Amino acid sequence: MKKLKDNHFGGSWTEQKVIILEKYAKAYLQIMKGKPWKVLYFDGFAGTGDIVIEGDIEDNIIKGASKRIVSINNPIPFDICYFVEKDSIKASKLKSALHFIRKENVHVVSDDCNEKIKKMAEFLQNNNYKALVFIDPFGINLDWASIEILRGLGVDLWILAPTGLGVNRMLENKANLPESWWLRLERFFGVNRKLILNTMYKEYVDPDLFGGITKRTIKVTKATSKIFEMYQGRMKTVFNYTSDPYIIINRNNSVMYHFFLASDNQTAINIANDIVRPYNDLLDYR
Ligand SMILES: C[S@@+](CC[C@H](N)C(=O)[O-])C[C@H]1O[C@@H](n2cnc3c(N)ncnc32)[C@H](O)[C@@H]1O
């Protein structure tokens, strides 16, 4: 069994993720070249333009997804690149960094992705555009409504699903979650808590010696895989297909995220699967 440190494969998992996106974006633009519509890139959790990879000895700074995307000219550039970053200081840093590379039709706004994605959906309804959308949050900051709104709009969506770090951490072992967490999970999955409870927990009934029973509610084993299956299932109610995920693990081999593509186009999914496969092949679990 190979032992890998944080998905290292010439870099960290964070770097693999943006490399996967960049490879996909180039393949996507190759297909879009010469088509009778324009192409929009929308990044809902954009960051500063750089990513700091923390190392044991020293930190390493790599180019974030945004810088990579606005630098693409070959086969064609995106007609419009639109970046949303909630933190205004980060957004202003990002704007300077990106405008240094390309100014024309590169927009950076400081706002909540859940708000701006609605505006983007309206734009796609009224204009002859297809869109590549990248959603890269740290936690469960994306509402289900923000995904549902993309149905039938010609969107290819790469999403970092916080299956392990976000959702699994919230699902306490005995289903004893605070109300605010249930509400957050309902907003994330777009389903009611009963369905989440039935999917993620099992009820055990223990008979006692004198004919009584004790009920125990316990989280299912392999909960992170179940969370991914549930989220993927939800995605398939909006998009025709989803790709195999790039499964992101930490040093202890615990799953943190599933990174995958949702699209209405089978060719897009085949391309994504080809890109993702070598990264997963290096992992030593599953
Ligand atoms: C994982 S980082 C993004 C990294 C980026 N994709 C890259 O390649 O460099 C997530 C970013 O989302 C921002 N953020 C958090 N919640 C947000 C929200 N609701 N809307 C927009 N941005 C948000 C955070 O400030 C953070 O900079």
Side-chain angles (χ1 to χ4, degrees):
M1 271 210 324
K2 291 186 291 281
K3 266 279 171 209
L4 290 169
K5 186 180 132 191
D6 278 13
N7 291 6
H8 269 70
F9 168 62
S12 72
W13 64 265
T14 317
E15 189 169 17
Q16 312 312 338
K17 178 186 64 183
V18 291
I19 290 173
I20 287 171
L21 177 81
E22 185 182 14
K23 284 184 178 170
Y24 182 80
K26 287 181 177 165
Y28 175 88
L29 290 166
Q30 185 64 51
I31 290 170
M32 293 297 162
K33 190 176 171 182
K35 291 282 193 298
W37 52 71
K38 292 190 172 184
V39 276
L40 165 73
Y41 176 80
F42 178 96
D43 182 341
F45 293 80
T48 59
D50 289 320
I51 300 172
V52 180
I53 311 275
E54 288 173 16
D56 290 337
I57 297 167
E58 58 183 31
D59 291 349
N60 184 18
I61 297 179
I62 60 157
K63 268 196 282 179
S66 52
K67 280 188 175 175
R68 293 167 193 260
I69 294 291
V70 297
S71 302
I72 300 176
N73 285 311
N74 192 10
I76 51 168
F78 283 95
D79 293 290
I80 299 177
C81 297
Y82 196 93
F83 299 90
V84 186
E85 168 53 55
K86 199 171 181 180
D87 179 322
S88 59
I89 296 172
K90 288 186 185 177
S92 128
K93 199 171 166 198
L94 179 66
K95 192 172 185 177
S96 314
L98 297 186
H99 282 182
F100 189 72
I101 303 168
R102 170 181 160 189
K103 265 207 180 78
E104 202 192 343
N105 289 324
V106 171
H107 305 272
V108 179
V109 294
S110 178
D111 207 332
D112 188 315
C113 170
N114 292 297
E115 294 306 317
K116 283 295 169 193
I117 211 162
K118 287 184 210 148
K119 300 279 174 205
M120 181 199 63
E122 266 171 48
F123 175 87
L124 293 176
Q125 271 156 9
N126 297 314
N127 293 277
N128 189 21
Y129 272 77
K130 305 267 183 216
L132 176 60
V133 174
F134 179 42
I135 296 294
D136 182 27
F138 289 130
I140 63 169
N141 326 50
L142 190 77
D143 295 343
W144 180 252
S146 302
I147 291 180
E148 210 161 30
I149 208 168
L150 303 178
R151 184 182 283 112
L153 294 180
V155 167
D156 278 13
L157 169 68
W158 273 99
I159 185 154
L160 185 75
T163 46
L165 274 193
V167 179
N168 193 31
R169 277 196 181 173
M170 291 175 87
L171 295 173
E172 290 192 341
N173 247 339
K174 293 180 181 162
N176 202 8
L177 275 59
E179 174 64 15
S180 60
W181 289 18
W182 277 123
L183 290 172
R184 192 69 208 92
L185 288 166
E186 286 176 331
R187 275 220 307 280
F188 176 74
F189 283 110
V191 297
N192 65 36
R193 68 192 67 183
K194 199 168 168 211
L195 185 59
I196 302 172
L197 198 63
N198 288 343
T199 313
M200 299 311 307
Y201 292 91
K202 269 195 163 169
E203 193 170 81
Y204 295 90
V205 178
D206 302 322
D208 74 25
L209 196 57
F210 302 117
I213 52 161
T214 316
K215 284 186 181 171
R216 291 177 297 134
T217 305
I218 305 284
K219 190 155 76 167
V220 294
T221 51
K222 301 206 170 156
T224 314
S225 304
K226 271 260 180 237
I227 293 164
F228 172 64
E229 278 168 30
M230 184 166 171
Y231 200 56
Q232 187 186 38
R234 296 292 294 137
M235 281 288 174
K236 285 184 177 165
T237 66
V238 175
F239 296 91
N240 288 343
Y241 311 101
T242 57
S243 73
D244 299 334
Y246 169 42
I247 305 170
I248 297 171
I249 58 167
N250 65 15
R251 287 165 201 240
N252 304 320
N253 265 3
S254 300
V255 175
M256 297 192 288
Y257 299 101
H258 286 76
F259 182 50
F260 65 101
L261 175 72
S263 173
D264 289 331
N265 188 304
Q266 180 66 62
T267 306
I269 297 296
N270 296 344
I271 293 169
N273 286 344
D274 286 346
I275 294 173
V276 161
R277 191 170 305 112
Y279 295 90
N280 280 333
D281 282 351
L282 282 172
L283 301 179
D284 64 349
Y285 78 104
R286 267 169 297 152

